[in-house]
Amino acid sequence: MRLLQQVAAEHPPPMPAPAMEEDRPLLLRLQPQDLQCSVCFSLYALPCTLPCGHTFCRRCIEQHWAGNGRCNCPLCLKSFRERPELNKNTDLAALLEALQSQDTRAHERCPACTGPGALRLCLPCGAPLCGDHLPLHQDPTGRGRHLLVDLITTPWPCRQHEKGLEYFCLSHSAPLCATCAPQHEDCHPTSLLELYRRKRVSAGKRRKRENIQKKINHLEQNITSKEAAINCQKEAYREIQILVYDIKDNLTRDFREMRDYLEQQERAAFWRMKQELDLAQRETTRLVQTLADELDAMKRRKAELAELLEHDWISMLKGVGSEETFMSPSSLVSQSPYTFDENRVVDTTDAVTNMKKSLLSHALLEDNPCPPKKVLEDSLVLSPGSSQPCEQEMSVSVPVRPPSRLLQWATVVSFDPESVSCRLSVSGDLKTVTVAVKNCSYPKKERRFTSCQALCSQGFSTGTMYWEVRTADSDGWAIGVAASEIAKHQQLGDNDLSWCVKWNKVHLSAWHKNEETRSLLPRPSMVGVLLDCTEKLVSFYSLSPELLIHTYHVHFQTQLFPAVWLFGLKKGNSLTIRDIRTDA
């Protein structure tokens, strides 16, 4: 019923026609899916309609009920208490029979097809078609049974001949029938349908080539745009280099002037303290000398009186009435003692304290780790004048020091056989670990890693140490340090007990607590590690040229051990600890 309603909606009933046209058949325009069963997806065979209104093949609905165990509609799932009677949908069956009996050659009897009512031309059938018969020659499957083209507007010799479109003469550019084709034997006429199909295929290939060429042109434009963007970024980076170089010079000058100023203030403060001390010393010496002279005079007078009292007492009695003036103790000091002025010293101290507070209040660099005091990082190697920027220019970083400055902390380290993973083989000198072809049969140890990792035997908790690892023989690696508390199943850089730098075949980065810090440096063939336990810093360097990759503040309770990790498990990949003292 739904199908009939759809057909009626698309084709309203015609107006009453004269009696002579009542026998004219009605052409229905339907799609194949309109007459398909929703169970088998084929044309209805003995269509039966259920009480819910849905139609299925008799055999399909019976098989559905037999397998389901209950009677329901496969589409709306409506259940029926009793198995409904399957009656044939006579209208739909008649429609199917009428459509199946349609003749694709009905256009031969249609005056509209052979007359001015023709709209299209079917090449395989060699016949024009009107609007009513055109759907009969449409081929939605694309199998080539019918091929519709536009009508030929210009006349050709065989227009009225039977099969006038069977051949085509390239010399005369006209279709031919089978009877007229021998007359053009020298022209070598070919099958029109085959010639059209070849031309159509070649046109399709040409369109494909054109589409591919368009894509190539589009990609070339994108490539040019990307290259321009890269050059723009490089130029911008070059400007940044020049800017940083100028700022570095300004900062160097400013810090040098501040250091000179602080040194001058320090000398001035100590000089003022020395002046105050010298003044106090001079005044104290003068007063002490005056008091000492008066003390000597008092001692002499005391001795004279004692001598008079003991040996010449008659003379003393004679002079009882005479007046003699004695100096009081308070009058013995000719002037008041020297008093030190503490305010002049305190003022200097306050001025220095305020200066210190002013400097410490500018916490500009607190978020960035300060490098070790023994490492010089106050210069940048920039190449603003280079005319041909290379790829490494984008990775120019802070060069740290001449190699000799790093090598003064060179430390001998070697791999610990008890921590090397069974996936790694270790050399006899304990300097190289290599991804083995098969697992090595090492004895079970508490420190043996389950992943492709290894620790060194040497652990550090004090002092400054430096070592280097060769990475040229590995596609993927991690080099760093790990605390002694690290578990054998933990991986380097993925926890708070290890710090490392990694190369993962794409880019270089630093890792700690499973957090990545990308680096613009290219892949290094040698990695240097500087561990300063006093300052609690670990720094990683890319050597040749010598550039700083990253610096971490480390926090550990016991000891830190050099550690490596080979990932990717590519057989033969290796890492080697360089013997710095021998190779230097």
Side-chain angles (χ1 to χ4, degrees):
M1 295 300 293
R2 179 183 61 82
L3 179 60
L4 294 178
Q5 292 174 359
Q6 180 179 356
V7 172
E10 295 181 354
H11 306 283
M15 297 297 294
M20 59 181 301
E21 296 183 359
E22 290 181 355
D23 296 334
R24 184 175 179 179
L26 177 63
L27 182 63
L28 300 179
R29 295 180 176 85
L30 300 175
Q31 297 295 330
Q33 59 269 23
D34 294 333
L35 300 176
Q36 289 180 353
C37 174
S38 58
V39 176
C40 64
F41 297 102
S42 301
L43 293 177
Y44 289 111
L46 297 178
C48 299
T49 302
L50 300 182
C52 61
H54 295 121
T55 304
F56 306 95
C57 299
R58 176 184 290 273
R59 184 176 180 182
C60 292
I61 192 63
E62 288 179 349
Q63 290 179 351
H64 175 73
W65 286 349
N68 194 16
R70 58 180 181 177
C71 298
N72 61 355
C73 176
L75 290 179
C76 65
L77 302 179
K78 182 177 181 181
S79 300
F80 308 105
R81 294 182 179 180
E82 298 180 357
R83 181 169 181 171
E85 184 178 357
L86 298 177
N87 296 323
K88 179 180 179 181
N89 189 328
T90 55
D91 293 337
L92 185 56
L95 179 60
L96 289 170
E97 293 175 1
L99 292 176
Q100 291 173 357
S101 64
Q102 287 279 3
D103 185 6
T104 58
R105 303 184 62 85
H107 61 277
E108 297 178 356
R109 302 183 298 273
C110 178
C113 292
T114 58
L119 300 178
R120 300 276 284 174
L121 179 67
C122 180
L123 282 184
C125 299
L129 302 170
C130 67
D132 292 336
H133 293 99
L134 184 61
L136 297 177
H137 290 254
Q138 291 177 341
D139 190 7
T141 61
R143 297 177 182 176
R145 181 180 177 185
H146 298 283
L147 184 58
L148 299 176
V149 297
D150 292 336
L151 290 172
I152 302 177
T153 57
T154 59
W156 70 93
C158 299
R159 180 179 179 86
Q160 303 299 330
H161 299 176
E162 185 177 1
K163 297 183 179 180
L165 296 172
E166 188 170 355
Y167 294 95
F168 188 82
C169 178
L170 293 174
S171 300
H172 295 83
S173 300
L176 300 173
C177 65
T179 305
C180 298
Q183 300 177 7
H184 295 256
E185 184 176 358
D186 296 337
C187 302
H188 302 289
T190 59
S191 172
L192 186 145
L193 182 60
E194 294 298 327
L195 179 62
Y196 177 82
R197 286 177 174 170
R198 287 200 302 269
K199 294 291 184 180
R200 189 178 185 183
V201 171
S202 62
K205 291 182 178 178
R206 184 171 62 256
R207 286 194 296 270
K208 289 182 180 178
R209 287 196 298 269
E210 291 175 354
N211 291 335
I212 293 175
Q213 187 62 40
K214 289 181 180 179
K215 293 181 180 179
I216 292 175
N217 296 336
H218 181 67
L219 288 175
E220 288 179 350
Q221 294 177 358
N222 289 340
I223 290 173
T224 303
S225 176
K226 295 297 182 183
E227 290 177 348
I230 291 175
N231 293 331
C232 181
Q233 291 297 326
K234 287 184 177 180
E235 291 299 327
Y237 179 72
R238 192 180 301 280
E239 294 178 0
I240 293 174
Q241 285 181 310
I242 298 173
L243 176 62
V244 172
Y245 187 80
D246 293 339
I247 294 177
K248 176 257 177 185
D249 286 344
N250 295 334
L251 290 177
T252 301
R253 183 180 63 255
D254 292 341
F255 277 110
R256 182 172 60 249
E257 291 177 355
M258 285 191 291
R259 285 194 296 268
D260 295 342
Y261 175 75
L262 289 176
E263 291 176 358
Q264 293 175 1
Q265 292 296 329
E266 180 183 13
R267 292 195 300 270
F270 288 132
W271 181 253
R272 186 171 184 179
M273 296 299 102
K274 184 177 182 304
Q275 287 180 331
E276 295 294 334
L277 184 61
D278 292 344
L279 177 61
Q281 182 181 9
R282 289 195 301 271
E283 293 296 328
T284 302
T285 301
R286 183 179 61 80
L287 291 176
V288 168
Q289 184 63 39
T290 302
L291 292 176
D293 293 342
E294 294 178 354
L295 179 62
D296 291 340
M298 292 174 63
K299 288 182 177 179
R300 288 194 300 272
R301 181 60 180 166
K302 176 183 175 183
E304 293 175 357
L305 293 177
E307 180 69 20
L308 180 62
L309 180 63
E310 181 177 357
H311 300 289
D312 196 4
W313 53 275
I314 296 296
S315 298
M316 179 188 68
L317 293 177
K318 291 180 179 181
V320 170
S322 62
E323 294 182 359
E324 183 176 359
T325 304
F326 293 94
M327 298 176 62
S328 63
S330 59
S331 63
L332 294 178
V333 181
S334 60
Q335 63 182 27
S336 60
Y338 172 73
T339 303
F340 181 70
D341 190 359
E342 297 181 357
N343 293 331
R344 289 181 292 184
V345 179
V346 172
D347 291 343
T348 303
T349 304
D350 292 341
V352 174
T353 302
N354 294 332
M355 186 184 303
K356 175 184 175 182
K357 290 181 180 180
S358 177
L359 289 175
L360 297 180
S361 63
H362 299 282
L364 177 62
L365 304 178
E366 283 188 355
D367 295 335
N368 298 325
C370 182
K373 294 180 180 179
K374 303 173 184 178
V375 179
L376 181 61
E377 294 181 337
D378 61 345
S379 62
L380 294 173
V381 176
L382 302 175
S383 55
S386 177
S387 59
Q388 294 181 353
C390 61
E391 294 299 329
Q392 292 185 358
E393 285 187 357
M394 299 303 295
S395 302
V396 172
S397 182
V398 181
V400 184
R401 54 168 65 257
S404 58
R405 296 293 301 274
L406 283 175
L407 296 179
Q408 63 179 312
W409 297 289
T411 304
V412 177
V413 295
S414 57
F415 291 111
D416 181 10
E418 295 186 358
S419 68
V420 176
S421 168
C422 293
R423 301 301 303 271
L424 300 175
S425 62
V426 61
S427 61
D429 59 356
L430 302 180
K431 295 292 186 179
T432 302
V433 287
T434 307
V435 179
V437 177
K438 59 180 181 180
N439 287 359
C440 301
S441 57
Y442 295 139
K444 292 184 177 179
K445 297 293 182 179
E446 289 293 332
R447 301 184 63 190
R448 192 171 306 285
F449 284 107
T450 57
S451 58
C452 211
Q453 299 183 134
L455 293 178
C456 287
S457 301
Q458 295 76 16
F460 308 106
S461 58
T462 58
T464 303
M465 284 66 60
Y466 174 75
W467 64 93
E468 295 176 356
V469 181
R470 175 182 171 84
T471 62
D473 299 327
S474 176
D475 295 335
W477 46 262
I479 298 171
V481 295
S484 59
E485 298 89 351
I486 189 171
K488 61 182 180 180
H489 64 274
Q490 291 180 319
Q491 294 179 339
L492 202 61
D494 293 348
N495 48 75
D496 58 350
L497 296 175
S498 58
W499 301 260
C500 70
V501 290
K502 290 184 182 179
W503 174 258
N504 63 351
K505 301 182 181 181
V506 179
H507 60 266
L508 186 66
S509 57
W511 285 82
H512 176 57
K513 292 184 179 180
N514 202 24
E515 296 179 356
E516 180 184 19
T517 302
R518 290 276 184 100
S519 173
L520 294 177
L521 292 176
R523 173 186 174 182
S525 60
M526 189 81 68
V527 174
V529 184
L530 180 67
L531 175 62
D532 190 340
C533 296
T534 304
E535 298 291 334
K536 294 189 179 299
L537 295 173
V538 59
S539 302
F540 302 97
Y541 306 101
S542 172
L543 306 181
S544 300
E546 191 173 338
L547 304 172
L548 175 66
I549 302 175
H550 195 73
T551 298
Y552 278 116
H553 283 285
V554 293
H555 306 281
F556 58 96
Q557 300 296 330
T558 53
Q559 287 182 320
L560 291 180
F561 293 83
V564 299
W565 177 21
L566 281 160
F567 51 91
L569 300 182
K570 183 177 180 180
K571 306 300 185 296
N573 277 4
S574 64
L575 292 174
T576 302
I577 299 174
R578 180 188 174 206
D579 193 344
I580 302 178
R581 297 179 304 174
T582 302
D583 298 341

